[in-house]
Amino acid sequence: MRIRFDRTRWTAGLAAVALIAAGCATGADESAAGLSDALGTTSDVNPKNRDEVREGGNLRLAVTSFPANWNTLSNDGNDGEIADIERPLMPRAFDVDAAGNLSVNKNFFTDVALTGTEPQQVTYTINPAAVWSDGTPITWEDIAAEAHALSGRDKRFLIAITNGFEFVDKVERGVDDRQAILTFNHPYGEWRGQFAGNSSLFPKSVTANPESFNKGLVDRLGPSAGPFVVQSTDRVQGRIVLSRNPRWWGETPKLDTITYSVLDQTAWTGALQNNELDLVRLASIDEVKTVRNTNGLVIRRAPGNRWRHITFNGAPGSILADARVRVAIAKAIDRQGIATATQNGLVESPKPLNNHIFLQGQDGYQDNSAPVAYDPDQAAQELDALGWKLNGEVREKDGRKLEIRDVMYNDPLWVQIAQIIQQNLARIGVRLTIDTKPGAGYFTDVIIPGDFDAAQFIFSGDAFAMSSIRQIYYYDPNDLQGNFGRIGSPELNALIERTLTELDPKKAIELANEVDRKVFEEGHSLPLTQSDGSFGARADLANIGSPGLASYDYTKIGFVK
C-alpha cells in the first residue's frame, strides 16, 4: 500500500487494511452500535446508477491547506490531501472494489499483465484514445520516464517512494508507442501497485528530469488526464476548482465542477451543517451527533485505511538517537488509554493498533507490539540503567534533560492525544512539550526536515499491502523517502529487500511481520489507532462517501434526481 502523509485528524493506513468499525450510534448516550465490519468487506457511498443522478452541479469539498507541490510522487507532494484532489485528474492502472479486488482501468489501459517470470516482465497496453489534457498522447515514454525517476538511481530526483521501480531494469517500447514492457532485475510481488492506488502516472514533461520533477508542479498541476481538469486555483482565497475535461474520452461526468476550499478541519462539520460543504470526514462522537441531528445530512461509514501514529526522531545527536531510549519511552505510553479516550462511542471496543504493516481484520494482521507493551515501571528501570537519572521531576544524563518536543497539526484531537502522552511520560520523569503547527508547510517545513523529537500525523494508503514498507522503514541517509525519523539498520534493510522480492503471498506476509517486529524493536514509530471511517454527507449525494478500499468513479458522482 502506497503511504500518503496527512496532517488531518483521521487520515491514515499502510496496507490493504481492515478495521473493527462502529455502526451508527443509538440510545441516549449515542454509543457505538456494535458493527464489526473489516476493511475489504464494505463501502458506504450511496450507490446509484447513472440515470438516477442528475446532470450538472458543484461538489463542495475541503482541504486543510493549499498543495505545496502538485507532484504527488515528490517528497514535498506526498500528501494525502493532494492525492485526493488529483484522483479525478490523473491516470491509474487499476480500479479497486470494496473487497480490494482489482480490475484494469479501461479508460487508461486495455490490458496490464504479468507477461514473463524469468526475468519478471509486466506489459502495459495503453488505451489508444488516452491523451493528456494538452492533447499529447499517453505513451510508453511517460511510463519509462516515471520508472526512471522513481528508481532511486539518480538522487537528484527528490522522490517520496521508489514503489518497486528500484527493481525495474529497463522499460521498452512494445508493439507500438501505446505499449510499455517493464523488465525487472529482481522479482517484485506488488507490481500491480506501481501505477495504481495512490500512485498515478504523470507525463514525461514532469518526470523526465530532476528540475521539472522537483519544482515543475510547485505552483500548478500541468498536463493531466482524467474526467476533470483544473479550471482555476486561488492560493490567496484558498480555492481550487475542477471542471469537466473537454478532451476526456470516457463517460461524461455528471458533475459540472468540484470545488475544494482550504479550511481548518475544526470548521468542516460546521461548514457542512451550514450548507457550505457537501462531504466531510468526521473525527469525534460530537461531530457524528451534529451530522445526525441536522436535516438533510447523513452519516456514511465503512472501515477505512487510515491510522494514527507517532514517529520518533532518531537522527544522530537527537535526544532519541538511542533505540533503547525510544523503546523505553514507547513502553510508558498508554495506547489503550488513547484508544479509549479518542474512539469511545465511535467504535464498539476501542483498541490500539499493534502492527505497522497490516491493519486489524486484514489477512496478515497480528500483534507484534510486545517490545513496547505498556509497562511504565519497566520503562523507568530501563531509563535508569541507561544513565537517565531523575533530578527533580525530569531525568538528566550528562547535563542534558530528557525533554521531548512533540509536534502535530493544530487540532483539538491531536492535542488531546499529546496531553495523554504528556501525562504518561511525566510519570517516568520525561517532559513532553506540545508544539502545534499550522497545516500550511507542516510536512515541507517541519516533518521532512526532521524538526521534531516526536511527531504525530496519519498515514493514508491503498489496496497494495507491501509497496510502502521500503518507503517508511528502509533507511538510506542519502534517500530518506518517508523515513523522516531517520531510523533503521542494515539488518532491517536486508529484511525489507527479502520481503519485497518474495512472490509467494504467504511467505511475503510472514516476512512482513518479521519487518514489523524489527520496526517495534528499533523504536521507529508507535501505531496508535485506526480510523472508524465516519463521514458526514448530504443525503442526496450519490456514489461518494466512505469508500473503504474502493476507488471512486468520478464520472458517476453527483446528486440524486
Side-chain angles (χ1 to χ4, degrees):
M1 168 169 294
R2 172 70 183 277
I3 289 299
R4 294 285 184 195
F5 307 104
D6 203 318
R7 68 193 66 79
T8 52
R9 279 186 268 181
W10 290 113
T11 14
L14 181 102
V17 289
L19 119 90
I20 306 304
C24 295
T26 57
D29 63 350
E30 298 287 340
S31 59
L35 295 181
S36 57
D37 294 322
L39 186 73
T41 63
T42 186
S43 63
D44 187 3
V45 298
N46 192 25
K48 300 293 180 182
N49 296 325
R50 286 182 60 88
D51 59 7
E52 299 177 87
V53 180
R54 71 174 185 255
E55 297 289 334
N58 174 42
L59 174 64
R60 300 165 299 174
L61 305 174
V63 292
T64 58
S65 68
F66 205 86
N69 190 328
W70 291 80
N71 180 5
T72 57
L73 306 175
S74 73
N75 230 341
D76 286 345
N78 185 37
D79 184 304
E81 291 189 333
I82 306 173
D84 287 344
I85 294 169
E86 294 187 10
R87 279 188 174 84
L89 304 173
M90 304 303 293
R92 287 176 174 81
F94 290 95
D95 293 322
V96 186
D97 67 13
N101 297 315
L102 306 180
S103 59
V104 175
N105 186 334
K106 293 300 180 71
N107 285 318
F108 300 107
F109 298 95
T110 58
D111 189 46
V112 180
L114 181 67
T115 51
T117 56
E118 294 183 1
Q120 180 176 338
Q121 286 189 325
V122 177
T123 300
Y124 289 82
T125 303
I126 301 165
N127 185 332
V131 297
W132 298 108
S133 55
D134 62 2
T136 304
I138 299 175
T139 74
W140 75 277
E141 292 180 328
D142 297 305
I143 292 175
E146 186 161 319
H148 172 70
L150 298 186
S151 69
R153 298 183 186 108
D154 187 340
K155 302 303 183 185
R156 296 176 299 167
F157 288 92
L158 302 181
I159 62 174
I161 183 173
T162 52
N163 204 27
F165 289 108
E166 69 270 33
F167 303 126
V168 174
D169 188 51
K170 58 183 177 179
V171 180
E172 299 174 291
R173 182 179 184 269
V175 295
D176 57 25
D177 283 348
R178 297 287 191 158
Q179 189 175 79
I181 302 172
L182 279 64
T183 301
F184 293 71
N185 54 33
H186 286 285
Y188 181 59
E190 284 284 30
W191 58 268
R192 294 174 184 83
Q194 291 187 301
F195 296 104
N198 280 329
S199 298
S200 56
L201 176 64
F202 279 77
K204 63 182 180 181
S205 60
V206 173
T207 57
N209 66 76
E211 181 64 24
S212 60
F213 184 93
N214 299 336
K215 300 297 183 183
L217 301 188
V218 168
D219 295 320
R220 60 187 62 84
L221 177 61
S224 58
F228 289 85
V229 294
V230 177
Q231 174 182 295
S232 63
T233 62
D234 189 328
R235 189 177 292 271
V236 175
Q237 295 294 320
R239 188 154 297 162
I240 299 164
V241 180
L242 313 183
S243 61
R244 292 175 178 175
N245 179 2
R247 297 184 185 274
W248 176 242
W249 56 95
E251 291 269 16
T252 301
K254 287 293 184 176
L255 291 168
D256 290 323
T257 54
I258 302 173
T259 299
Y260 290 89
S261 297
V262 176
L263 188 65
D264 190 287
Q265 197 176 7
T266 57
W268 286 11
T269 302
L272 178 71
Q273 187 179 31
N274 294 332
N275 196 24
E276 298 166 355
L277 296 173
D278 298 310
L279 178 72
V280 301
R281 183 175 292 110
L282 306 175
S284 70
I285 190 63
D286 288 337
E287 291 181 351
V288 170
K289 290 178 182 178
T290 296
V291 171
R292 186 177 292 113
N293 294 329
T294 302
N295 289 334
L297 300 182
V298 295
I299 301 296
R300 302 286 180 211
R301 177 181 285 144
N305 59 343
R306 301 166 182 264
W307 55 278
R308 183 180 300 280
H309 85 293
I310 304 168
T311 280
F312 296 117
N313 189 341
S318 66
I319 192 73
L320 299 179
D322 188 335
R324 297 170 297 176
V325 175
R326 297 193 298 270
V327 169
I329 285 174
K331 289 179 180 179
I333 296 174
D334 183 3
R335 297 186 300 126
Q336 179 60 60
I338 291 170
T340 300
T342 60
Q343 293 194 326
N344 189 39
L346 287 172
V347 301
E348 182 179 2
S349 300
K351 62 182 67 176
L353 178 66
N354 293 315
N355 196 300
H356 294 83
I357 312 299
F358 305 101
L359 299 192
Q360 296 169 20
Q362 182 190 3
D363 185 23
Y365 179 84
Q366 63 186 45
D367 184 347
N368 294 321
S369 66
V372 296
Y374 179 56
D375 191 339
D377 293 335
Q378 179 65 27
Q381 292 173 21
E382 292 177 7
L383 291 175
D384 282 336
L386 293 169
W388 288 98
K389 303 295 185 178
L390 270 177
N391 183 2
E393 295 182 349
V394 181
R395 293 177 180 271
E396 290 186 4
K397 181 180 180 180
D398 300 329
R400 190 179 191 185
K401 291 184 179 296
L402 191 48
E403 298 179 338
I404 298 170
R405 186 168 57 90
D406 183 14
V407 305
M408 70 215 68
Y409 173 62
N410 189 7
D411 176 273
L413 189 54
W414 286 114
V415 174
Q416 180 188 9
I417 289 175
Q419 288 171 338
I420 295 172
I421 297 171
Q422 187 180 55
Q423 293 169 3
N424 292 160
L425 297 186
R427 176 179 171 182
I428 64 165
V430 178
R431 178 176 292 160
L432 183 111
T433 301
I434 298 172
D435 188 0
T436 59
K437 302 290 183 181
Y442 181 61
F443 283 98
T444 55
D445 300 336
V446 180
I447 302 301
I448 293 174
D451 185 16
F452 60 89
D453 298 317
Q456 296 176 197
F457 54 96
I458 292 173
F459 283 136
S460 176
D462 53 43
F464 303 93
M466 306 291 182
S467 62
S468 290
I469 298 176
R470 183 183 179 110
Q471 179 191 11
I472 309 301
Y473 306 115
Y474 192 99
Y475 180 54
D476 178 350
N478 298 313
D479 183 18
L480 291 174
Q481 296 189 38
N483 191 346
F484 300 133
R486 295 153 173 83
I487 295 169
S489 66
E491 294 78 15
L492 180 55
N493 287 355
L495 184 56
I496 289 170
E497 296 282 2
R498 285 179 57 203
T499 303
L500 292 178
T501 57
E502 177 55 64
L503 295 181
D504 183 297
K506 291 184 178 179
K507 291 181 180 178
I509 286 174
E510 292 174 1
L511 288 168
N513 275 301
E514 289 185 31
V515 170
D516 183 49
R517 282 189 288 271
K518 187 68 174 174
V519 170
F520 274 114
E521 291 169 1
E522 294 273 357
H524 178 284
S525 50
L526 193 63
L528 298 176
T529 55
Q530 292 179 217
S531 165
D532 64 295
S534 296
F535 285 75
R538 306 234 153 266
D540 62 346
L541 188 59
N543 298 315
I544 190 172
S546 185
L549 283 179
S551 51
Y552 292 133
D553 182 344
Y554 283 88
T555 68
K556 294 181 179 179
I557 294 172
F559 298 90
V560 178
K561 291 180 178 177

